[in-house]
Every structure is written in structure tokens, then in C-alpha cells.
Amino acid sequence: MSVIAQAAAPRRLARSRFTFDRLEVLGPLFIMPAILYVVVLVGLPFLLALYYSVSAYSIFNPSYTFVGLKNFREVIDSEIFRRTLANTLIFTISAQIIGLLLGKIGAMLLMQEFPGRRLARALIVLPWAVPVSLATLAWVWMFDSLYSVINWTLVAAGLIDAAHRPQWLGQEDLAMIAVAVVHAWRLFPFGVVIFLAGFTSVPQDVLDAATIDGAGFWRRNYQIILPIIAPIIMIAVIFGTVFTFTDLSVVYLLTKGGPINSTQVLGTLAFQVGILSGDVAHGAAICLFLFPFLLVAVILLLRSLRRREI
């Protein structure tokens, strides 16, 4: 019996090896963790938000009574929500534009040869490496009404009057500029990395031929380099838009949506209504307004990307 068992063991091992060598088994096996991750951490919370949004659930009255679209109608009728929606679009678009422009300038500088270029490339990722709470607290000090280093610099340069210093986080228009700048600062390393990858993919002989033909700096940048790296930039815009649209950390830590809801975005409003106030049903309804906007934005950007590839 022991001889038969010893003979069968190598056959079972060989059969299992053969099974794991088959692509139709190996492929699903490798992709299964990613699918589980999406289902557990994205799919289930999304379905739960749908369920809560059509109920009357709150932490004070945990009732799952079906109320239909009543929560969505009440959210849309709210003036604060309409202002929040406009703020979210302004915040996302302005942070994207500033972040990508700074990223392009930073990448162009880092493409040049200069002493300490490797150190500069390493330091450029600091906004990513520093925890967002710590970095935002530093920005709170820089925007402080009394100790702002920005105001001190502007006064020293003679650009503003010391008696009329701007209240960066206390005035409605300046507060929106402040949160957009801080978020663009967080996007800056991502923009630099994307543009560096794009610039290095442009064939040098194409640039040399354009230079010989008399193309200057602007013509090379906007008629040769930009069309070549456009698909890479489009991917950066998609990721940046999703990242900015769903982010609440910068706004909540800097202004908590104030003053007078001037910097309130969908993420902070949903957090304040659903978590801090305990009105889970309305908080879930506010969260779900993120989905159609992001879906439309991503579809439009992917269509544009596909046309360019064709």
C-alpha cells in the first residue's frame, strides 16, 4: 500500500501543476483579489449608500422605511446643496488647471541638466509623502490672519497695505482660492511625474527635425510635444478629476466648508450631514450626486482619448 501511495503522490503533484499552468485557471485566479477588493470596498458601500438614500435612516431613528426619492428632492431644493455643487465644480476645475500647469513647468525644469537634479526630483514628491493632515496644518499657519508668512511677504514686497491684510480663510472668495491652491499643491507631484513620462516618450529626432525646420520653443511645445503626449495628459486629467471631486480632507481641515459655506464641497457636506449630524439618509443622497458627474466626466474623457488613439 505504501508503494502505491508513493507512486500516486507525484501524479497528483503533476496534475496540480498542470492545472495551474492553464491560462483559463491562472488568469481568473490572479484577477480574483482585485475583483474582491472592488466588490468589498467599492461595490458594497455603493449599494449600501443606495439603500440608505431611499430610506428614513438616521442614528436617532434607525428606521429603514422606504421613502422613495424624497431625500433627493429635499437635497436638490436646498440652497446650500446647490451652492455646494457649484463650489465642487469650481474647486475641481481650478485645482486641476493650477496643478497641471505647475506640473508642466516643473517637469520642463527637471528635464534640464543642472547640479542637484536628482535631489530636486526626489524632493518634488514631498507633497505626496507628507501626511495630508500635517501638510494642511502647515498651510493653516501660512494662511493665518495674524502670522501668515504669505501676508508678511506681500507686505514686505509692498504689494499690500499692512493695515488691510487679506484674511485668506475668513473671506469667501479668498477661502476658495486658498483651498484650490493647497489641493493643486498636492496634485503638483502627480503632474510632474506624468509630464516627465510624456516628455521622455517624445522622439528626440522629431524635435531635432522641428528645430532644423525653424520651429521655436512655443511651436515645438504646442504643435509637436503636446499632441504627442495628449493621451498621457488625458489619463492624468481623469485621475486628478476623480481624486479632486471625491476629496474632502483639504477643505475640511482648512475651512470646514466655511466661511458661510463658501468652500463647501460635496464630500464635506455629505460628511457633515451624514456622519456629524447623524442624518445618514440625506448624507447618502448627497454622496450619490458624485456618481453621475464623475461617470459623465470619465466617459467624455475616455471618448476623447479613444478618438486621439484612432
Side-chain angles (χ1 to χ4, degrees):
M1 291 295 288
S2 62
V3 175
I4 295 173
Q6 288 176 358
R11 282 201 295 272
R12 283 198 298 271
L13 184 60
R15 192 179 299 118
S16 65
R17 283 181 180 170
F18 176 72
T19 303
F20 284 112
D21 284 342
R22 294 166 59 187
L23 286 178
E24 58 270 25
V25 175
L26 208 57
L29 196 64
F30 279 165
I31 205 170
M32 189 61 70
I35 293 175
L36 281 176
Y37 176 84
V38 172
V39 169
V40 174
L41 295 182
V42 179
L44 289 180
F46 180 72
L47 293 177
L48 199 60
L50 279 176
Y51 181 69
Y52 280 135
S53 67
V54 293
S55 73
Y57 188 89
S58 73
I59 59 171
F60 309 107
N61 179 25
S63 164
Y64 292 99
T65 306
F66 180 74
V67 296
L69 299 178
K70 175 173 172 287
N71 294 330
F72 290 97
R73 285 196 296 270
E74 290 176 353
V75 165
I76 293 173
D77 289 340
S78 165
E79 186 183 343
I80 294 176
F81 172 76
R82 291 197 294 271
R83 184 172 188 184
T84 298
L85 199 57
N87 287 342
T88 307
L89 294 175
I90 294 170
F91 173 64
T92 303
I93 294 171
S94 55
Q96 282 289 299
I97 293 174
I98 298 171
L100 288 178
L101 277 177
L102 291 178
K104 185 173 189 293
I105 294 170
M108 290 173 70
L109 291 175
L110 289 176
M111 287 293 289
Q112 309 300 318
E113 291 289 344
F114 60 88
R117 189 176 70 158
R118 289 186 178 180
L119 178 63
R121 284 190 174 188
L123 292 177
I124 215 76
V125 298
L126 266 183
W128 265 354
V130 178
V132 60
S133 54
L134 188 61
T136 308
L137 283 177
W139 279 100
V140 169
W141 277 101
M142 284 195 278
F143 288 130
D144 186 82
S145 57
L146 292 178
Y147 309 108
S148 170
V149 67
I150 299 173
N151 284 349
W152 181 87
T153 306
L154 292 175
V155 170
L159 297 176
I160 61 172
D161 185 7
H164 300 90
R165 300 183 181 195
Q167 306 295 318
W168 291 100
L169 302 180
Q171 295 175 236
E172 295 185 26
D173 48 351
L174 293 181
M176 177 54 78
I177 293 173
V179 294
V181 166
V182 174
H183 197 80
W185 174 76
R186 289 190 65 209
L187 290 175
F188 171 62
F190 180 62
V192 170
V193 171
I194 289 293
F195 275 105
L196 275 176
F199 289 155
T200 52
S201 69
V202 179
Q204 187 59 41
D205 53 347
V206 174
L207 296 177
D208 293 340
T211 305
I212 292 171
D213 289 341
F217 172 79
W218 297 107
R219 201 170 174 189
R220 283 201 308 273
N221 265 281
Y222 293 101
Q223 292 188 358
I224 298 172
I225 296 176
L226 202 57
I228 292 176
I229 67 173
I232 301 175
I233 298 175
M234 206 65 75
I235 296 295
V237 171
I238 292 173
F239 276 97
T241 302
V242 174
F243 178 60
T244 308
F245 214 83
T246 56
D247 185 74
L248 65 87
S249 53
V250 169
V251 172
Y252 189 76
L253 290 169
L254 271 180
T255 64
K256 290 184 172 55
I260 322 175
N261 295 307
S262 61
T263 58
Q264 196 78 268
V265 292
L266 286 177
T268 54
L269 184 63
F271 178 71
Q272 290 176 351
V273 172
I275 304 299
L276 298 183
S277 302
D279 190 352
V280 180
H282 285 90
I286 293 169
C287 273
L288 289 175
F289 277 96
L290 292 167
F291 180 69
F293 283 98
L294 287 176
L295 186 65
V296 170
V298 170
I299 288 174
L300 290 177
L301 289 169
L302 287 177
R303 278 192 176 182
S304 173
L305 182 62
R306 188 175 299 173
R307 284 178 186 167
R308 285 188 171 276
E309 286 177 349
I310 291 172

